[in-house]
C-alpha cells in the first residue's frame, strides 16, 4: 500500500525517526536545568577529563585519531563523534604549550579536523596560535593510515591517545605504539572486529554504543544528553518489538 | 563570520532533509533532486581525497625541510609519493611500471604490517591479562583460544569436537557471538541515528566556517 508516496516499510521508518526527534525534544525540555543528571558513570570519560587536565599541566599533547571511515557512509557517525570529542578537548587544552593534534585516514575528515581545531582556537581568542598541521591526514589506506599515525604518537610528546572513528584490526598497531610510549589509550569505534581488538589492546575501551554517549558526558549540550536518553528508551522499545515478534512467530500468528 | 556559520548550517540541513525525505517518500521530483545531490557528493569526495594528499604532502614537507626528528622518513614518503604520481600519471595506472610499484612495494609492505599486526594482537592479549584481569577478560581470552583451536589445526592435529557444523567453534560463532553482535549493532544503529538527527537539527556542526 502506498499512501502519499509512502510505502508501509518507509512509513514505519519515517515514524520511527519522527518519534526519535519528539523524544529528543521532550527530554531536552524536561532536563533543561540539569541535563547530565542521573547518567551512569563510564570510566573512560572520567579518565579523559583527568587526562586533559594532566596534559595542560605537564605540557604534553593530546592526540585524537579519527579513523579511516568515509563520512558519507555508515561509518561516518563515529567519526562525527570523534570531531565532537576533538572540539571539547581542543577548547580546554588549546591553551597548553602543546595543543592537541588530530590524525585521520580520510581527506574530508582531515579538512573537518582542521576546521574544528581552528574554531576551538578562535572561540578562546587565540586563532593566531592555530597551526594547520594540527589536523593531519596520515594515510589513505587502512595500513598506511595506521603506519602514518605512529610518528604522531612517537614524536609529538603525546600523553593520551584517543581513538574515535572507524577502524579495522590494524588499530592494534596504533594502540601498541601508544602503549610503548606509556601514553593512556582511550578508544571507541562502531566496527565490531575493531571493538574486539580494542577491548584487548586499549587501556580504556568504549564498548558498543558507549562511544555515541561522548557528547553527553563531555557537556556538548542538552540535546546530546537528550539523544542519549532517547536511545535508551527506544532500545527498550526495539527489544520489546523483537521479543513480541519472536513470540508471535513462535505461535505461528505471523 | 556568524552569518556564514548560519548559511552553512542552513545549506547542510536543507540538503540533508531533502535526501532523507527523498529516501522515504517516493515522489518523482524528490527522487530526481536526491539523485542529483548524491551525484554531487562523488566529485566532492574526490576533491577531499586530493586535499588529503595535499595535507599529507605539506605535513611531511614541513617535517623534512625543518630537519625534525625522523625527517628521513618524511623525505622518503615525499619521494615515494612523487615517484608514484609521475609513474602512474605518465604511463597510466595499469601500465607494467605502475603495477610493479603496486605488486613489489605496496603489497609486500602491507603484508609485513599484517605480520606485525599478528604479533601486536598476541601481545595485546597477554597485556590484557596483566592490565585488566577480571572475569570478562578471562572469558574474552578463553573464547579467542577456543576459536583459534577450532579454526586452524594444532601442529597438524585436528582436535575432536572443535570443527564441523556442531563443533565448539561453530557453536560459539553461531549462537553467543551472533547474539552479542546483534545487541551491539542495535546500540550502534541507534547511536548513528541520533548523530545523524543532531546534524540535521544543527546541533553537531563540524563544518562551521
Amino acid at each position: 500500500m502506498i499512501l502519499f508516496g509512502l510505502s508501509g516499510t518507509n512509513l514505519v521508518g519515517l515514524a520511527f525517526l519522527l518519534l526519535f526527534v519528539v523524544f529528543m525534544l521532550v527530554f531536552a525540555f524536561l532536563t533543561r536545568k540539569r541535563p547530565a543528571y542521573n547518567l551512569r558513570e563510564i570510566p573512560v570519560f572520567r579518565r579523559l577529563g583527568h587526562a586533559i587536565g594532566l596534559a595542560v599541566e605537564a605540557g604534553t599533547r593530546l592526540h585524537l585519531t579519527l579513523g579511516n571511515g568515509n563520512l558519507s557512509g555508515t561509518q561516518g557517525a563515529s567519526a562525527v563523534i570523534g570531531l565532537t570529542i576533538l572540539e571539547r578537548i581542543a577548547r580546554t587544552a588549546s591553551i597548553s604549550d602543546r595543543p592537541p593534534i588530530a590524525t585521520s585516514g580520510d581527506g574530508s575528515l582531515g579538512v573537518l579536523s582542521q576546521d574544528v581545531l581552528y574554531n576551538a582556537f578562535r572561540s578562546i581568542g587565540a586563532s593566531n596560535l592555530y597551526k594547520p598541521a594540527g589536523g593531519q591526514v596520515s594515510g589513505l589506506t587502512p595500513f598506511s593510515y595506521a603506519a602514518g599515525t605512529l610518528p604522531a604518537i612517537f614524536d609529538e610528546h603525546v600523553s593520551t591517545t584517543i581513538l574515535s572513528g572507524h577502524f579495522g584490526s590494524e588499530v592494534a598497531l596504533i594502540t601498541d605504539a601508544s602503549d610503548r610510549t606509556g601514553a593512556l589509550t582511550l578508544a571507541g569505534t562502531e566496527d565490531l572486529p575493531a571493538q574486539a581488538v580494542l577491548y584487548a589492546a586499549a587501556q580504556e575501551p568504549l564498548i558498543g554504543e558507549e562511544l555515541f554517549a561522548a557528547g553527553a558526558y563531555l557537556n556538548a549540550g542538552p540535546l546530546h544528553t537528550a539523544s542519549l536518553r532517547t536511545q535508551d528508551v527506544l532500545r527498550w522499545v526495539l527489544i520489546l518489538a523483537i521479543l513480541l515478534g519472536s513470540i508471535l512467530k513462535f505461535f505461528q500468528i505471523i | 563570520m556568524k552569518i556564514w556559520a548560519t548559511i552553512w548550517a542552513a545549506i547542510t540541513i536543507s540538503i540533508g532533509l531533502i535526501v532523507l525525505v527523498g529516501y522515504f517518500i517516493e515522489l518523482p521530483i524528490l527522487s530526481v533532486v536526491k539523485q542529483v545531490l548524491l551525484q554531487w557528493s562523488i566529485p566532492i569526495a574526490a576533491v577531499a581525497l586530493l586535499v588529503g594528499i595535499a595535507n599529507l604532502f605539506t605535513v611531511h614537507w614541513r617535517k623534512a625541510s625543518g630537519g625534525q626528528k625522523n625527517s628521513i622518513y618524511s623525505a622518503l614518503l615525499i619521494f615515494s609519493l612523487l615517484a608514484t604520481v609521475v609513474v602512474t600519471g605518465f604511463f597510466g595506472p595499469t601500465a607494467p611500471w605502475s603495477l610493479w610499484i603496486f605488486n613489489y612495494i605496496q603489497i609486500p609492505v602491507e603484508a609485513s604490517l599484517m605480520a606485525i599486526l599478528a604479533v601486536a594482537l598476541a601481545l595485546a592479549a597477554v597485556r590484557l591479562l596483566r592490565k585488566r584481569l577480571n572475569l570478562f577478560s578471562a572469558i574474552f581470552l578463553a573464547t579467542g583460544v577456543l576459536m583459534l583451536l577450532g579454526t586452524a589445526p594444532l601442529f597438524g592435529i585436528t582436535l575432536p569436537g572443535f570443527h564441523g557444523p556442531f563443533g565448539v567453534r561453530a557453536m560459539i560463532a553461531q549462537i553467543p557471538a551472533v547474539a552479542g553482535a546483534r545487541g551491539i549493532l542495535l546500540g550502534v544503529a541507534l547511536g548513528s541515528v541520533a548523530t545523524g538527527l543532531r546534524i540535521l537539527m544543527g546541533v553537531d556542526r563540524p563544518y562551521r566556517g
Side-chain angles (χ1 to χ4, degrees), chain A residues 28-249:
Chain A
F29 178 75
L30 289 179
T31 58
R32 62 193 183 282
K33 284 182 183 155
R34 292 172 70 190
Y37 175 68
N38 215 10
L39 290 181
R40 79 177 166 92
E41 185 175 301
I42 299 179
V44 178
F45 296 118
R46 189 167 30 87
R47 283 196 80 172
L48 178 59
H50 291 166
I52 294 171
L54 209 64
V56 174
E57 278 177 28
T60 54
R61 206 185 291 279
L62 294 161
H63 166 229
L64 191 137
T65 189
L66 296 160
N68 57 348
N70 189 336
L71 263 184
S72 59
T74 50
Q75 313 150 347
S78 55
V80 171
I81 297 296
L83 290 167
T84 304
I85 298 174
L86 179 64
E87 187 192 19
R88 303 312 295 171
I89 62 172
R91 275 173 188 268
T92 319
S94 294
I95 48 162
S96 159
D97 294 341
R98 291 194 171 95
I101 53 166
T103 52
S104 55
D106 181 70
S108 45
L109 278 180
V111 175
L112 287 175
S113 64
Q114 287 181 339
D115 206 30
V116 165
L117 283 172
Y118 175 72
N119 277 298
F121 276 95
R122 202 180 58 182
S123 69
I124 58 164
S127 47
N128 56 323
L129 295 176
Y130 164 74
K131 286 177 185 157
Q136 303 174 9
V137 176
S138 53
L140 294 163
T141 62
F143 273 107
S144 67
Y145 156 67
T149 304
L150 304 188
I153 295 170
F154 285 125
D155 302 340
E156 299 279 356
H157 303 274
V158 168
S159 60
T160 302
T161 292
I162 303 143
L163 299 99
S164 170
H166 175 77
F167 303 95
S169 54
E170 71 283 348
V171 71
L173 296 172
I174 300 173
T175 52
D176 182 60
S178 185
D179 250 11
R180 280 197 276 153
T181 56
L184 174 67
T185 315
L186 315 168
T189 178
E190 93 299 338
D191 184 78
L192 280 178
Q195 278 193 29
V197 170
L198 289 174
Y199 181 78
Q203 286 162 37
E204 289 288 354
L206 286 160
I207 310 295
E209 75 277 17
E210 284 178 344
L211 174 68
F212 294 97
Y217 283 81
L218 297 173
N219 301 320
L223 269 166
H224 280 264
T225 320
S227 68
L228 182 60
R229 293 187 202 282
T230 306
Q231 286 172 60
D232 286 342
V233 171
L234 289 182
R235 185 182 302 107
W236 281 108
V237 172
L238 287 177
I239 289 169
L240 290 175
I242 290 169
L243 283 176
L244 188 68
S246 308
I247 292 166
L248 292 176
K249 188 86 180 166

Side-chain angles (χ1 to χ4, degrees), chain B residues 1-18:
Chain B
M1 276 313 230
K2 208 152 192 173
I3 186 79
W4 281 111
T6 313
I7 291 170
W8 298 139
I11 292 171
T12 311
I13 292 167
S14 347
I15 289 177
L17 279 175
I18 290 169

Side-chain angles (χ1 to χ4, degrees), chain B residues 59-78:
Chain B
V59 167
H60 286 278
W61 176 264
R62 211 169 282 140
K63 264 191 172 182
S65 56
Q68 290 179 27
K69 195 178 169 187
N70 295 330
S71 57
I72 182 74
Y73 299 121
S74 295
L76 194 62
L77 183 137
I78 290 169

